[in-house]
Amino acid sequence: MSASGEILSTSSGGRYPLKCITVRPVRLELRRRFPIVGRLKNRGSARGVAAAVPVLAGFVWLRPERLAASPVITPDVSAEGHRALDVFWYTTVATGVSFALVCLALAVLLVRYRAGRSRKAAYETGTGKGAALATLALAGLVFVVIDLNLVRMSKRDISEYLFNFPGGPGVVRVEVMPQQWAWNVRYPGPDGAFNDGDDVVALNVLRVPVGRPVMLNLKSKDVVHAFFVPNLRLKHDANPGLVTRSWFTVTKPGSYEIVCSQVCGWAHYLMKGTLIAMPESEWKAWLAEAEADAARRFDAADREQLWGWEWVP
């Protein structure tokens, strides 16, 4: 068969047409321009190394400041939201470096131990003592450097933030009861107690002051829901029959989306709410007006208004 693709004759006198352009000229040109292509006899492994190049380039280009400036990424407006981003970037960089080292080792071994006349291939089962020790050493290195550090970061965030619930008169307390498919919100009235006639109740809107910690009590009315505010990097489950707790502090005024991140039924996609972060003075003025309006509207005979529960600190 010629490189140009003309009709050739077989030893038995038969003839066959070459119906496609051969790749030999292309391969020869690649070997001329890139000598390493000629050294990689295992074309499948060569393609694997080549495919890893754009992935590694992406890791180099995608730096934290580029991601933060991207219009696709929701801005972080929480005092503690950076903790989630820290874990994300540590995991991304650690796994990216590990992947780069594996690709580098693969490329070196492919070139160094390529097939040739002076080298015979040897079959290795990988069950020997040396292979077992090398595997255990690499696994132990990954466990110590990556996994244990993730455990350390998680324990730090749990003790410093997640379960370090704020207390005192400066904390805004809110009960949130999700249901199919809405968010019920309840604030205590002037007496500070929940589930009585002076409570402020809202639907699908949660108003909070900027700069003050907000403590949430979550309990579902029907199925499992999840209170998720992407701008706060906050996601917490709300279960039926069980009060769960979470908290946050908003640093910038604005309007932010509340969504349910647990599939809770056929209209799950409609379950949206709004978190409105307001300056302290505006929030206090709104709360005073809402409390007065709640006192006027309260109907003791309407028991459905009293869906709240005793506060869990």
Side-chain angles (χ1 to χ4, degrees), residues 9 26 40 49 97 111 114 128 149 192 218 232 264 272 277 294:
S9 298
V26 178
L40 295 175
V49 174
V97 170
V111 174
R114 64 189 181 276
N149 204 30
L218 302 165
L232 300 181
C264 54
K272 297 180 180 180

Side-chain angles (χ1 to χ4, degrees), residues 92-195:
T92 301
V93 172
T95 54
V97 170
S98 301
F99 178 70
L101 291 176
V102 171
C103 290
L104 178 62
L106 179 61
V108 171
L109 294 175
L110 284 172
V111 174
R112 184 173 181 181
Y113 298 104
R114 64 189 181 276
R117 295 180 179 179
S118 61
R119 182 173 289 110
K120 297 290 185 180
Y123 180 73
E124 173 62 51
T125 62
T127 57
K129 185 180 294 185
L133 290 176
T135 302
L136 289 175
L138 288 174
L141 180 65
V142 172
F143 177 75
V144 172
V145 174
I146 299 179
D147 297 338
L148 285 186
N149 204 30
L150 282 173
V151 172
R152 180 192 63 81
M153 296 172 69
S154 299
K155 290 187 65 176
R156 178 201 63 193
D157 293 342
I158 288 173
S159 61
E160 293 181 1
Y161 165 60
L162 188 63
F163 292 154
N164 186 23
F165 299 118
V171 176
V172 178
R173 298 179 300 148
V174 186
E175 291 183 349
V176 178
M177 184 185 70
Q179 69 178 77
Q180 295 173 317
W181 289 271
W183 300 94
N184 299 288
V185 180
R186 180 180 291 271
Y187 304 81
D191 60 359
F194 281 90
N195 214 32

Side-chain angles (χ1 to χ4, degrees), residues 3 170 221:
K221 182 179 181 179

Side-chain angles (χ1 to χ4, degrees), residues 15 27-28 40 43 66 77 83 110 118 159 167 196 265 313:
R15 295 166 61 84
R27 192 183 304 134
L28 291 175
L40 295 175
R43 291 193 296 273
R66 290 185 185 272
V77 298
R83 296 178 183 270
L110 284 172
S118 61
S159 61
D196 54 20

Side-chain angles (χ1 to χ4, degrees), residues 175 177 183-189 194-205 207 286-287 290-291 293-294 297-298 304-308:
E175 291 183 349
M177 184 185 70
W183 300 94
N184 299 288
V185 180
R186 180 180 291 271
Y187 304 81
F194 281 90
N195 214 32
D196 54 20
D198 62 352
D199 289 357
V200 175
V201 180
L203 181 67
N204 293 330
V205 178
R207 288 179 170 85
W286 165 82
L287 184 62
E291 287 173 346
D293 186 63
R297 292 174 179 269
F298 179 70
E304 291 187 1
Q305 295 183 52
L306 302 177
W307 52 260

